[in-house]
Amino acid sequence: MDGKLIIFSAPSGAGKTTIVRHLLTKYGDKIAFSISASTRAPRDGEVNGRDYYFISQAEFLHRIAKKEFIEFEEVYAGTFYGTLRTEVDRIWASGKHVIFDIDVEGGLHLKRKFGDRALAVFVQPPSLEVLKQRLYGRGTDSDEKLTERVAKAEKELGYAGQFDVILHNDDLDVACREAERLMLDFIEKKD
Ligand code: ADP
Ligand code: 5GP
């Protein structure tokens, strides 16, 4: 089997984690999640080695030097996130495709690197106002972090046109069904 990449990118709060989790629950026999490394602190309920590999900045920089990342970014000032080469290799070796929940620039980076082997999906919220409501409603970030995320979101919404497809996340059930269709069409497509 030729392993593929299914990339879900969007500004924070658009709903990509929710959609990716839905796909993993339903299609865990076909896809597995690329667990990123991050230097941010775990949120309540997050588990090291399931949601992220939570590592220190010193370890992150060491891993950059050892060229362990396919891509990495300082997504927010002082907070690094990156995709480990070993994750993608591990998942492909298990006979599954890799699914990513990754920021907009990281998603485009992977798409440029892997071309037709990757499907890059931009999750589009109905508006910036709704995005803010979702972020605030999620209740996981401090006021300072929320302001930073909203400022970045305004810029990221402008990148939608560079993705293979835009997935509108207005009604969550509709968006999940559409995500399933896009993913299944892509992984069943012959090269
Ligand atoms: P992201 O991973 O893009 O940052 P999340 O998946 O964490 O976004 O979603 C942000 C918040 O919005 C969560 O509280 C989630 O439950 C909620 N949410 C996601 N999609 C929808 C939707 N279509 N309608 C209403 N709320 C949603
Ligand atoms: P959060 O802190 O909300 O979990 O994630 C913040 C942002 O970083 C999200 O847009 C998320 O998709 C992104 N992200 C997570 N992992 C990676 C990664 O490996 N690389 C990049 N470039 N972004 C990532």
Side-chain angles (χ1 to χ4, degrees):
M1 184 202 83
D2 261 355
K4 294 182 178 172
L5 303 90
I6 302 122
I7 304 160
F8 283 85
S9 294
S12 189
K16 58 194 176 305
T17 307
T18 309
I19 293 168
V20 166
R21 284 199 183 141
H22 167 80
L23 293 174
L24 282 162
T25 305
K26 195 153 175 188
Y27 298 103
D29 57 329
K30 297 184 196 301
I31 54 170
F33 181 59
S34 166
I35 304 163
S36 296
S38 175
T39 64
R40 82 154 162 73
R43 295 178 183 140
D44 273 355
E46 283 184 331
V47 176
N48 185 34
R50 183 193 70 187
D51 300 290
Y52 282 106
Y53 299 112
F54 295 104
I55 61 177
S56 67
Q57 183 153 326
E59 184 176 348
F60 203 102
L61 296 176
H62 183 63
R63 285 171 179 250
I64 294 174
K66 288 204 298 176
K67 301 205 175 352
E68 290 184 16
F69 292 108
I70 297 180
E71 65 78 37
F72 69 89
E73 252 181 86
E74 188 174 358
V75 175
Y76 302 106
T79 311
F80 291 82
Y81 295 79
T83 304
L84 293 159
R85 203 173 294 280
T86 47
E87 276 297 290
V88 175
D89 289 344
R90 171 181 71 78
I91 293 167
W92 280 345
S94 75
K96 294 182 183 180
H97 304 289
V98 190
I99 188 162
F100 296 85
D101 169 344
I102 183 173
D103 92 316
V104 169
E105 285 183 38
L108 289 174
H109 191 149
L110 287 180
K111 176 66 191 175
R112 278 196 296 275
K113 198 158 190 149
F114 290 94
D116 289 346
R117 227 175 153 180
L119 176 71
V121 181
F122 187 91
V123 181
Q124 176 97 57
S127 64
L128 189 60
E129 210 36 58
V130 172
L131 180 90
K132 283 186 203 168
Q133 286 164 14
R134 287 185 188 166
L135 263 181
Y136 282 73
R138 190 171 69 186
T140 50
D141 299 282
S142 64
D143 283 354
E144 188 194 333
K145 290 255 154 53
L146 284 167
T147 308
E148 190 180 22
R149 282 171 189 254
V150 170
K152 190 169 153 77
E154 291 191 70
K155 179 173 159 226
E156 287 175 324
L157 288 170
Y159 287 92
Q162 295 182 42
F163 281 73
D164 292 324
V165 56
I166 296 176
L167 173 66
H168 294 274
N169 181 18
D170 191 346
D171 180 293
L172 184 60
D173 288 339
V174 173
C176 285
R177 276 204 302 280
E178 179 64 4
E180 289 178 31
R181 190 187 64 76
L182 287 168
M183 186 194 81
L184 293 173
D185 282 356
F186 179 67
I187 61 182
E188 280 158 15
K189 192 175 73 181
K190 296 278 169 280
D191 305 308

